[in-house]
Amino acid sequence: MKLINFNWQQLILGLGCLLLMIACKSFYPTTNSDVKPLKVGTDPTFVPFEIQTASGNLEGFDIDLMNALAQPTAGLSFAVQFESLPFDGMISTLQAKRVDAAISGITITAERLKTIAFSRPYFKAGLAIAVRKDNQNIKDFKSLQGKKIAVQIGSTGADFAKTIPNAKISTFNSGPEFFQDLLNGNVDAVVSDAFATLYAIKNGKLKGIKVVADLLTQEYYGIATPKNSPYLDAINKGIATLLSNGTYKQIYQKWFNAEPPQLPDSWP
Ligand code: GLN
């Protein structure tokens, strides 16, 4: 009696397939798609750093930079998966390690460094005052005293506004909202990141608004990660590579049509 219906032909075919699979796996090196992608939080309302196109795609300076970092030429070996988050929740999401990193024009500040980590600076920025074009009175910090000012919740602009004596501050979730309030005449000024505001004005999105020439602060943006992130070292090395191999300059010129300024190696 035959107990097992043993089929030699099937066994040899099976073993052959298995050997072929092993051979293929060792022949082709591990690709990005085999590695868990780096989850990167971003708030796509901060032009031109992060923009959501009509078709739902992300583009912008930060997006190009992060994608360039993920290229093998920058020394990183992971794919990037962006996740849209409100700016105000970015720090707590990083703290809870629900994302591996965040790039969103985030200013490196001593306060934020208490709870999260930052890469080396990748962008020189600063706050500026925006007013309606016909406003001749607001020109500097002093002239903001006692004025109605709009800011974005959780931003460095909001922190700065708190230091203005007697200012009446309204907070908003994103840039487009507070500029609308300024245009409507509900507030006298907006305190926000100069580059983002200047870009929006230049591209015709904020007709009727001007930026006061002098910057209120000097700030640097960094890529944020949870504290003790295993990725931070690679991100820092990658930024250094992009700065030295011309990729950073190319991305800067694409979005700002200007030569990038010198960046410090570390900040503050
Ligand atoms: N740079 C500002 C900050 O870090 C604002 C950034 C933003 O709105 N995305 O607070």
Side-chain angles (χ1 to χ4, degrees):
M1 194 170 79
K2 221 173 172 189
L3 280 178
I4 308 164
N5 192 2
F6 205 79
N7 185 334
W8 281 102
Q9 254 177 336
Q10 269 178 10
L11 182 73
I12 289 166
L13 200 70
L15 278 176
C17 281
L18 194 70
L19 277 174
L20 197 68
M21 275 161 69
I22 294 168
C24 281
K25 190 82 189 151
S26 53
F27 182 75
Y28 291 107
T30 313
T31 58
N32 274 356
S33 58
D34 292 336
V35 180
K36 193 165 77 65
L38 191 79
K39 246 204 251 172
V40 181
T42 192
D43 175 356
T45 64
F46 193 60
V47 292
F49 296 90
E50 23 276 327
I51 307 162
Q52 186 136 31
T53 64
S55 55
N57 291 332
L58 285 177
E59 55 180 46
F61 179 92
D62 285 353
I63 309 299
D64 283 352
L65 188 81
M66 203 67 225
N67 282 331
L69 280 175
Q71 296 302 310
T73 41
L76 305 191
S77 56
F78 43 70
V80 167
Q81 184 192 324
F82 289 105
E83 195 165 310
S84 290
L85 295 170
F87 187 76
D88 190 34
M90 207 71 76
I91 311 271
S92 55
T93 308
L94 282 162
Q95 265 183 285
K97 298 194 175 147
R98 283 200 294 274
V99 288
D100 301 309
I103 190 162
S104 209
I106 310 174
T107 303
I108 306 169
T109 69
E111 190 56 33
R112 290 172 178 167
L113 279 167
K114 286 182 191 161
T115 52
I116 55 165
F118 278 100
S119 69
R120 55 182 288 162
Y122 73 84
F123 195 89
K124 187 174 181 188
L127 293 174
I129 307 167
V131 290
R132 283 181 300 280
K133 262 189 183 153
D134 56 3
N135 187 316
Q136 305 299 331
N137 312 319
I138 299 179
K139 293 189 181 75
D140 50 19
F141 178 75
K142 241 180 126 199
S143 52
L144 284 173
Q145 294 192 16
K147 295 286 191 299
K148 285 189 238 158
I149 298 164
V151 294
Q152 175 173 347
I153 303 174
S155 69
T156 45
D159 292 339
F160 185 89
K162 285 180 201 149
T163 67
I164 304 166
N166 304 318
K168 291 166 209 63
I169 302 164
S170 339
T171 50
F172 292 87
N173 276 324
S174 69
E177 294 171 61
F178 55 61
F179 287 122
Q180 198 50 52
D181 225 45
L182 178 62
L183 282 169
N184 293 348
N186 296 336
V187 293
D188 304 305
V190 160
V191 174
S192 64
D193 291 53
F195 273 84
T197 312
L198 286 168
Y199 185 91
I201 291 174
K202 212 174 88 200
N203 287 278
K205 294 233 171 72
L206 294 177
K207 284 202 184 82
I209 288 177
K210 65 179 177 188
V211 170
V212 176
D214 291 337
L215 292 187
L216 296 168
T217 56
Q218 189 191 88
E219 304 185 1
Y220 289 98
Y221 297 159
I223 297 175
T225 66
K227 273 195 186 277
N228 305 314
S229 161
Y231 303 107
L232 196 55
D233 194 41
I235 289 173
N236 278 329
K237 287 194 180 119
I239 295 174
T241 304
L242 299 183
L243 284 168
S244 61
N245 74 8
T247 310
Y248 178 87
K249 187 172 164 177
Q250 220 178 321
I251 299 173
Y252 198 97
Q253 284 172 333
K254 171 180 168 189
W255 291 100
F256 299 105
N257 218 354
E259 284 292 303
Q262 205 59 36
L263 292 170
D265 294 347
S266 63
W267 186 262

